Amino acid sequence: MAAGFVALIRRTIVAVVVGMAVAAVLRVRGRGGVPPQTGGWRELRDDEFE
Amino acid sequence: MTLLKAKPANVVVFGAGATGARIVRMLSASPNVNHVEVRDPDSTRLREIINSCDDSVTAGRGLRVPETTDAAVVASPPGTQAAAAHAAISAGAAVVTTSSDIGETRDLLAMDQFAIRKKVGLVVGAGFMPGLTCLLARAGSTELDLVDEIHVAKAGTGGPACARQHHRALSSLSVDWRDGRWMRRPGGSGRELCWFPEPVAGRDCYRGALSDALLLVPAFAGIERVTARLAATRRDRLTAPLPMMRRPHPEGGVGAIRVELRGRCGIERHVVVLGAQARPAEGAAIVAAATALHLINRGFVEGASGLASIRDFKDLLSDISDRGLRPCRFEGFIAS
């Protein structure tokens, strides 16, 4: 009975640690979107302020 | 609206860091400024600035502002600006602040009635972001009949105080405006790839403790969403909850800001994207100095507000552009 309870605790801890590791990897890796495929930046002309 | 006197003005500048030093030089070079008094607890830095400028620049001490002061520019580290602004308003001087700290921005906006009683203008957050972002949001809004959403983002840091603020912002709660109410979300969440003007280009940006929404929401009645993000690297995000591992650089490299407005033009939905690139300390100094000169030359509505609430924003934007901080527009994508 006690051994089963200890195993349950151990599995829970392992599951939490693995979950945290996966969350950390997901948080750090990847990108936030797709860059624009067309278009670009141009400076505003003075008459565009008026 | 209160107009300051026509003769050259006396200005007090709090802070002699990367931003403050540039503000002092820009103001002292203006024919509309008679005298600039600069204050900073670091006497070495103070001496360097005094030696590099002409006789119109002198050193001062403490927070008390002389009654002969026409305007004060507060470019001291975040957390110290509200007290300096209060002292300047008490002396009847118009004030320009540069803080991006959420708590301090709230404190400064809460001085609205005090500034009205003293018949002075208090400009809150007149830097690169907030500051130029607020001005560009105001400028972009003229192209839309109705603005539904404003999303601002920045990349890069100015001096050491700015770098520390950036580090703190990533590990603190953000303040966003969504569907008519404030939402607090964890800093470092909400990754979004933002495209900045060259040479910064694409950077992953995240929520952070940024004050832009506090300044933009009051200026755009009925707006549905306002968010602010800052660019960060993986190392920035991993080390955000920890103290800074090393002393920040004296000044960061080239940074950029980006303002995206979504709204309606007639029955169509439109997106306007404006931005600018500069060294953040230089960009902040240009905006703060131009705003101070705008206060001196043209006056400002009494009370506390951000630059998004300014009425004659075109003159100020034009002055900022003439000083080398040229706004850009992103063009060529399909409007939704």
Side-chain angles (χ1 to χ4, degrees):
Chain A
M1 184 70 182
F5 184 68
V6 169
L8 178 67
I9 296 280
R10 189 183 298 146
R11 283 175 191 156
T12 305
I13 291 171
V14 169
V16 168
V17 168
V18 168
M20 287 170 70
V22 169
V25 168
L26 287 176
R27 181 178 164 89
V28 172
R29 290 182 64 83
R31 293 189 72 81
V34 180
Q37 304 299 305
T38 59
W41 290 94
R42 70 159 177 85
E43 282 191 356
L44 289 180
R45 298 181 305 273
D46 286 341
D47 61 346
E48 288 183 89
F49 300 138
E50 293 159 8
Chain B
M1 177 175 282
T2 304
L3 277 172
L4 299 179
K5 55 193 174 186
K7 68 178 183 179
N10 297 320
V11 183
V12 171
V13 177
F14 291 94
T19 303
R22 287 182 169 100
I23 292 171
V24 169
R25 290 191 189 101
M26 287 177 205
L27 290 177
S28 66
S30 169
N32 296 320
V33 174
N34 175 51
H35 175 240
V36 180
E37 185 179 315
V38 55
R39 301 179 181 186
D40 193 285
D42 187 334
S43 57
T44 311
R45 207 157 49 191
L46 208 50
R47 211 166 29 247
E48 282 173 14
I49 292 181
I50 302 296
N51 292 339
S52 68
C53 295
D54 60 20
D55 293 343
S56 67
V57 180
T58 59
R61 291 178 68 183
L63 282 180
R64 208 186 72 75
V65 174
E67 304 249 322
T68 53
T69 305
D70 298 299
V73 183
V74 189
S76 52
T80 64
Q81 297 204 4
H86 191 276
I89 295 169
S90 299
V95 185
V96 176
T97 64
T98 58
S99 180
S100 62
D101 181 82
I102 287 178
E104 193 160 58
T105 299
R106 284 204 176 106
D107 291 345
L108 289 164
L109 290 173
M111 289 184 201
D112 183 53
Q113 289 302 314
F114 180 48
I116 290 171
R117 276 203 307 279
K118 289 287 184 179
K119 294 185 169 51
V120 295
L122 165 59
V123 183
V124 183
F128 199 38
M129 175 174 153
L132 187 57
T133 46
C134 297
L135 266 181
L136 292 180
R138 173 53 63 203
S141 71
T142 60
E143 299 177 28
L144 302 169
D145 294 334
L146 179 70
V147 182
D148 293 328
E149 302 180 21
I150 302 176
H151 304 281
V152 299
K154 74 167 177 179
T157 57
C162 183
R164 289 189 190 97
Q165 176 72 8
H166 178 277
H167 183 82
R168 274 196 301 271
L170 263 181
S171 58
S172 307
L173 287 175
S174 72
V175 179
D176 288 347
W177 179 258
R178 188 172 182 133
D179 299 330
R181 63 193 182 97
W182 295 108
M183 293 193 76
R184 310 227 49 183
R185 286 173 162 161
S189 65
R191 174 165 44 207
E192 188 174 311
L193 178 62
C194 293
W195 209 257
F196 293 95
E198 304 292 343
V200 176
R203 297 285 300 274
D204 277 335
C205 294
Y206 306 87
R207 293 191 190 99
L210 302 164
S211 62
D212 291 71
L214 297 174
L215 300 168
L216 288 169
V217 170
F220 294 92
I223 194 152
E224 290 173 9
R225 287 185 70 185
V226 180
T227 65
R229 282 178 165 76
L230 72 169
T233 61
R234 289 170 183 169
R235 189 181 65 190
D236 291 339
R237 296 176 66 220
L238 279 175
T239 59
L242 308 170
M244 284 190 89
M245 296 296 183
R246 60 184 181 194
R247 186 192 291 263
H249 295 293
E251 190 169 346
V254 175
I257 56 157
R258 180 183 195 278
V259 181
E260 182 173 328
L261 298 106
R262 300 178 193 165
R264 292 173 197 282
C265 201
I267 57 166
E268 290 184 332
R269 287 194 62 77
H270 272 272
V271 180
V272 177
V273 182
L274 301 173
Q277 61 83 19
R279 290 166 80 97
E282 189 171 5
I286 289 173
V287 175
T291 305
L293 292 170
H294 190 85
L295 287 177
I296 290 165
N297 297 334
R298 296 190 177 88
F300 200 81
V301 176
E302 292 153 10
S305 61
L307 283 176
S309 303
I310 191 168
R311 276 188 294 202
D312 45 352
F313 68 90
K314 290 174 183 173
D315 291 333
L316 180 54
L317 204 50
S318 185
D319 187 20
I320 287 168
S321 180
D322 290 344
R323 290 172 182 276
L325 182 55
R326 294 197 69 85
C328 308
R329 173 194 298 276
F330 189 83
E331 283 187 335
F333 65 108
I334 302 163
S336 58

